[in-house]
Amino acid sequence: LLMPHDALQLQIIIWQISNDINKRGKIFLDNQEVNILSYRQITQKLSDYFNVSIATLKYRLDELELIQYSTTNPVQWRSIMNPHNEPEFISDIIKRLPYF
């Protein structure tokens, strides 16, 4: 695997320590600007570190449950990023075609 769970989590913790974030081990994401900014910064750093696209990284973080979404102010990572930078499901593309 390009991004094993332990290696990802270790890099998250290292970044959180260096940025004085108290709750460590998972990336917290809600609709607050400070958390969105931190999310963008750490995903960029991890993407560079593992030499993978940000989209690939985000899917892996979700798969490993390393993103903790707020239950009171929920936001999904796809809703805060530029939608043109994200891959689409083929089924969604097909639904937009006029003959389907």
Side-chain angles (χ1 to χ4, degrees), residues 77-94:
W77 62 261
R78 291 175 185 92
S79 67
I80 64 169
M81 302 304 293
N82 180 349
H84 301 293
N85 286 339
E86 303 299 335
E88 292 185 82
F89 292 108
I90 293 173
S91 60
D92 292 336
I93 295 169
I94 290 173

Side-chain angles (χ1 to χ4, degrees), residues 48-61:
D48 293 343
Y49 181 84
F50 287 101
N51 196 28
V52 296
S53 71
I54 290 177
T56 299
L57 172 73
K58 291 174 190 173
Y59 283 110
R60 184 70 174 145
L61 291 170

Side-chain angles (χ1 to χ4, degrees), residues 54-78:
I54 290 177
T56 299
L57 172 73
K58 291 174 190 173
Y59 283 110
R60 184 70 174 145
L61 291 170
D62 264 349
E63 178 184 22
L64 297 175
E65 298 180 356
L66 290 174
I67 301 175
Q68 180 180 343
Y69 296 101
S70 169
T71 56
T72 55
N73 296 317
V75 63
Q76 294 292 315
W77 62 261
R78 291 175 185 92

